[in-house]
Amino acid sequence: MNLANKITLARIFLVPIIMFLLLINMNLSELRFEDFSITWNQILATLIFIVAAATDGLDGYIARKNKIVTNLGKLLDPLADKLLVAAVLISLVEMDKVDAWIAIVIISREFAVTGLRQIALLEGAVLAASTWGKWKTAVQITMIIALLLNNFPFTFIDIPFDQISSWAAALITVYSGIDYFVKNKNLIPLTE
């Protein structure tokens, strides 16, 4: 197994650690300011999430640079991305930090696009990520970090950035999904 695939696997293995830190009632001490508090396990989960999200670009870069792109990597990389985002979103719903409908919209889009990619693979085609798909990922990661950090530092200047980014993530997720299907409509069998 090459280095790029090992990095992708590491991202997958970080998912349950992040969920454990977010969902376990460890009663760790909190950082408290006047109108803001956050638990140490949330801070640790956020740092691990940021590392995991950063490995997405790293594994692809290493694979392309060293010409070690493999079928296993092509399978694991998008799976790792979807597991990371879906698991953290579900945890955030459980923590009452994001509305369930936003998580459902985002996760549903991921399933739908994965299905379209599978159809493309059966036809011998590989569908690359679109520009909108890359923006969608960036906005989703930004939203998740804002939610994990309880809207820090925006809470001090009274800007609901966590809510704004949640709506932005939902909207760009829907748009990127529609864009993906429109651009690849030739792959969708209208009759069997």
Side-chain angles (χ1 to χ4, degrees):
M1 181 174 295
N2 65 42
L3 178 61
N5 290 344
K6 287 178 183 176
I7 291 170
T8 304
L9 278 177
R11 185 161 70 251
I12 292 171
F13 290 130
L14 289 175
V15 170
I17 295 169
I18 295 167
M19 289 185 70
F20 174 79
L21 288 168
L22 292 175
L23 299 177
I24 192 72
N25 291 324
M26 295 195 308
N27 295 326
L28 293 178
S29 61
E30 293 181 321
L31 281 178
R32 290 188 177 273
F33 301 98
E34 284 184 31
D35 295 324
F36 177 80
S37 69
I38 187 168
T39 63
W40 284 103
N41 50 317
Q42 263 182 275
I43 294 169
L44 185 56
T46 304
L47 292 174
I48 294 171
F49 174 80
I50 291 168
V51 168
T55 65
D56 181 29
L58 179 63
D59 58 7
Y61 171 78
I62 290 171
R64 288 185 300 277
K65 181 180 180 228
N66 297 316
K67 296 181 173 65
I68 53 173
V69 175
T70 64
N71 287 335
L72 178 63
K74 289 177 187 177
L75 172 72
L76 286 181
D77 185 60
L79 176 65
D81 299 342
K82 287 163 185 40
L83 284 173
L84 179 64
V85 170
V88 175
L89 279 174
I90 292 166
S91 299
L92 289 167
V93 169
E94 175 67 22
M95 296 166 67
D96 203 28
K97 291 188 172 290
V98 69
D99 292 335
W101 74 265
I102 291 175
I104 291 167
V105 164
I106 292 171
I107 294 169
S108 296
R109 183 264 187 208
E110 298 306 330
F111 277 121
V113 169
T114 297
L116 185 60
R117 281 191 166 151
Q118 293 302 316
I119 292 169
L121 282 175
L122 293 173
E123 298 293 325
V126 175
L127 300 182
S130 69
T131 302
W132 281 108
K134 291 176 184 178
W135 275 103
K136 177 247 347 156
T137 300
V139 172
Q140 285 177 0
I141 289 170
T142 301
M143 170 200 71
I144 288 170
I145 293 169
L147 291 166
L148 288 173
L149 291 177
N150 297 342
N151 200 39
F152 177 83
F154 301 99
T155 192
F156 296 116
I157 53 176
D158 204 27
I159 296 175
F161 182 77
D162 53 351
Q163 296 304 310
I164 293 166
S165 63
S166 295
W167 276 90
L171 291 172
I172 197 168
T173 296
V174 169
Y175 183 82
S176 69
I178 291 168
D179 179 64
Y180 208 85
F181 274 84
V182 168
K183 287 182 178 171
N184 297 289
K185 63 183 176 231
N186 60 313
L187 295 171
I188 302 169
L190 298 177
T191 60
E192 282 295 317

